[in-house]
Amino acid sequence: MSEHYFSNKPQSKTLPKTWTYQLRGKEYTFTSDVGVFSKNEVDFGSRLLIEQFQEPAVSGDLLDLGCGYGPIGIALAGEFSDRRIVMVDVNERALALAVKNAGVNNQTNTEVVRSDRLSGLSGRKFAAILTNPPIRAGKQVVHQMFEDAKEALLADGQLWVVIQKKQGAPSAMDKIEALFGNVDVVAKSKGYYILRALNV
């Protein structure tokens, strides 16, 4: 059976790769690996989400939902040092890399939690939730993530999503609009959409 980056315990042989990358004007060093989403570079969708994200007006923690090896959460930690950045994933190899990468980049305002979507967060609430969702897990899983995010946001908190048009951006917009009563397309580039919804 082929293995996906949303597997709990990747069995594929580890072959880590390390590189440096500039995000929001700061340089970071990342290590990724086989069995983890985007093992050779910071993928375009995550980069676009990182660069387009705007800090919410409401105070509180930020959540990187499906963090992988951690580029989104670590870049946010570097930018918003007065906030706690919670990073969750179901993939144990990805989580170990996220912990390592946060340490290498001296981001002490991060917290890495093993969680299948939001199930491991025991009712915590967030000022913003960002996700580059696991499209290969299927539309039902992705849309459930949006539903869970709605419940986990503070009043006036924001959901930020990056998704390709060909991988379901129109239906994602419809789902988010139905949940939140609003959705904005903050940016479009190379077929990727950055979506934002306000929890009013």
Side-chain angles (χ1 to χ4, degrees):
M1 190 176 110
S2 64
E3 187 170 84
H4 290 292
Y5 53 80
F6 48 86
S7 301
N8 289 7
K9 295 175 182 278
Q11 301 300 313
S12 47
K13 182 178 169 68
T14 181
L15 192 68
K17 181 172 181 179
T18 301
W19 69 91
T20 58
Y21 218 95
Q22 192 168 88
L23 298 165
R24 296 182 77 113
K26 297 180 182 179
E27 192 166 274
Y28 297 93
T29 299
F30 295 113
T31 298
S32 190
D33 204 343
V34 177
V36 175
F37 178 66
S38 193
K39 65 179 187 292
N40 294 311
E41 63 177 352
V42 181
D43 66 286
F44 182 80
S46 293
R47 296 199 318 260
L48 189 63
L49 181 58
I50 290 163
E51 296 299 339
Q52 292 293 326
F53 177 71
Q54 299 154 31
E55 187 176 18
V58 62
S59 60
D61 298 344
L62 309 180
L63 175 64
D64 177 3
L65 176 57
C67 65
Y69 63 92
I72 295 172
I74 288 166
L76 294 182
E79 180 82 0
F80 307 113
S81 58
D82 58 337
R83 291 189 189 249
R84 174 165 290 276
I85 315 300
V86 181
M87 301 154 63
V88 302
D89 207 295
V90 72
N91 181 325
E92 292 183 359
R93 184 175 291 176
L95 291 171
L97 288 165
V99 170
K100 175 181 178 177
N101 288 329
V104 165
N105 292 287
N106 299 313
Q107 300 306 331
T108 57
N109 56 324
T110 56
E111 177 185 350
V112 178
V113 179
R114 185 176 185 276
S115 179
D116 183 358
R117 288 167 279 181
L118 284 90
S119 63
L121 293 172
S122 60
R124 292 172 68 175
K125 300 275 188 176
F126 299 91
I129 297 175
L130 299 90
T131 188
N132 184 349
I135 299 301
R136 290 186 202 166
K139 180 176 174 180
Q140 187 175 350
V141 169
V142 172
H143 285 197
Q144 183 64 50
M145 289 171 72
F146 300 156
E147 292 180 24
D148 294 348
K150 175 77 167 74
E151 295 303 311
L153 281 168
L154 293 163
D156 296 325
Q158 297 178 2
L159 172 66
W160 288 73
V161 179
V162 59
I163 190 166
Q164 288 189 68
K165 183 176 183 181
K166 67 181 182 183
Q167 292 185 328
S171 69
M173 288 177 67
D174 290 344
K175 178 66 174 179
I176 293 168
E177 171 83 50
L179 285 168
F180 288 83
N182 66 91
V183 62
D184 292 320
V185 179
V186 176
K188 292 182 193 176
S189 184
K190 298 183 181 178
Y192 287 83
Y193 284 48
I194 302 295
L195 309 178
R196 176 182 59 195
L198 182 65
N199 189 32
V200 291

